Amino acid sequence: MSLFGGGTSFGQSSVFGNTTSANTNPMKDFEVTSPPDDSVSCVKFSPGVLPSTFLIAGSWDNKVSCWEVQQSGQTVPKAQQTHTGPVLDVDWSDIAQHDAPVKTVHWIKAPNYSCVMTGSWDKTLKFWDTRSSNPIMTVNLPERCYCADVKYPLAVVGTSGRGLIFYQLENQPQEFKRMESPLKYQHRCVSIFLDKKTNLPTGFALGSIEGRVAIQYVNTTNPKDNFTFKCHRSNGTSNNVQDIYAVNDISFHPVHGTLATVGSDGRFSFWDKDARTKLKTSEQFDQPITTCNFNAQGNIFAYASSYDWSKGHEGYDPQKMKPHIFLRPCFDELKPSKRT
């Protein structure tokens, strides 16, 4: 029986959860075997066109790792590649070279071309034909690239200094809009969402270091459609002070259009942006949750717990803070709220 099916009750299997403490895996989700040895910066599922489900992860131990995800919940290590520096992002293709760290990697498949888009701290956005070591196009950015997302025919790039740049990808990539972030503090992640009727990209969610997410439409006639909400915060131990944590990643469900956020508070949360309500918040993990992703069918939620260096080297204990990657059956939990 498939443990990832929408009609299957979670937690009945003993395949997982017996080797980790309660705080390491408080949600009792499936743990990926042989995780990286250092903080996990990104996870990404394979495209839905593949017959099997694979998960890749990039990490600060300079490695890209790949597992096959079986319907039983077990994971089988398939490949691992070592690079000369930390891997900050991954996608399902090859990439090339920048003059500074590469922060974002996205695969673009258009009707008339296919390429890889990379954003870097060298203040450039490059587009690559994977058959060549030279970029087919280089775009100069006003500042370092901190985050990006692609849903054809739209790309959104967030830079330092709270800048946002939009590109239309039809025929060839071309900038069509710039704006300042609606959030007061530096953004950390961005994720594009689709219109439920047209299935075309219509807006994006932007997460910041200040425990806040902005829902923003690219073109809207009603400014009230845009809003922000607080998340990944907790009440302090004294004086009614609120602890505020960074939003590390955002991912939209491919079927329901709801979204997940993960944060430095060691929790993940599920949200319905249309009903403007929270669907679920996890128990607290003993480490920050650094990245997340849904598979193409929307029945598996992958997320990683590892140190995100938000408290500097003083906050890092290599003996206790081991990276973990978890898989959670999620199809029913992400269904939209019945609130109107």
Side-chain angles (χ1 to χ4, degrees), residues 130-333:
T130 57
R131 298 167 295 183
S132 171
S133 60
N134 296 314
I136 57 177
M137 184 177 181
T138 299
V139 176
N140 291 318
L141 300 172
E143 262 296 349
R144 290 165 292 171
C145 175
Y146 275 5
C147 58
D149 195 23
V150 169
K151 291 284 191 300
Y152 184 84
L154 174 67
V156 180
V157 176
T159 66
S160 64
R162 298 174 51 249
L164 293 169
I165 309 174
F166 303 86
Y167 298 87
Q168 68 83 22
L169 303 175
E170 293 176 306
N171 298 320
Q172 70 173 27
Q174 183 174 353
E175 179 184 329
F176 73 90
K177 184 178 181 179
R178 292 191 183 195
M179 64 176 287
E180 187 177 85
S181 168
L183 301 175
K184 184 178 179 180
Y185 294 90
Q186 182 62 57
H187 40 244
R188 193 165 187 141
C189 51
V190 64
S191 184
I192 296 172
F193 59 83
L194 304 179
D195 184 277
K196 291 185 176 181
K197 294 180 180 179
T198 65
N199 207 36
L200 292 173
T202 188
F204 59 93
L206 188 70
S208 80
I209 61 173
E210 189 237 352
R212 197 182 294 263
V213 169
I215 300 295
Q216 194 85 12
Y217 287 82
V218 177
N219 295 302
T220 180
T221 56
N222 185 3
K224 292 184 179 179
D225 291 339
N226 302 323
F227 65 98
T228 66
F229 62 90
K230 299 175 182 178
C231 55
H232 300 287
R233 302 178 177 212
S234 61
N235 293 326
T237 54
S238 62
N239 299 325
N240 295 320
V241 176
Q242 192 175 53
D243 294 326
I244 300 174
Y245 299 88
V247 182
N248 288 329
D249 202 5
I250 301 171
S251 185
F252 279 90
H253 194 274
V255 177
H256 301 316
T258 49
L259 66 147
T261 63
V262 299
S264 294
D265 60 340
R267 298 179 190 271
F268 64 78
S269 294
F270 299 152
W271 310 84
D272 183 342
K273 67 173 179 57
D274 298 319
R276 303 192 181 190
T277 189
K278 183 190 295 184
L279 300 174
K280 182 183 184 69
T281 294
S282 73
E283 300 294 327
Q284 187 170 25
F285 288 70
D286 60 355
Q287 296 186 90
I289 301 181
T290 52
T291 182
C292 66
N293 194 234
F294 292 104
N295 71 327
Q297 293 74 32
N299 60 341
I300 311 174
F301 176 63
Y303 60 99
S305 68
S306 57
Y307 189 51
D308 62 1
W309 298 96
S310 58
K311 297 182 179 179
H313 70 274
E314 299 91 346
Y316 180 55
D317 185 343
Q319 300 304 316
K320 296 181 180 179
M321 305 176 78
K322 302 293 185 182
H324 300 274
I325 301 175
F326 300 106
L327 305 177
R328 181 178 183 82
C330 67
F331 192 86
D332 290 338
E333 289 182 332

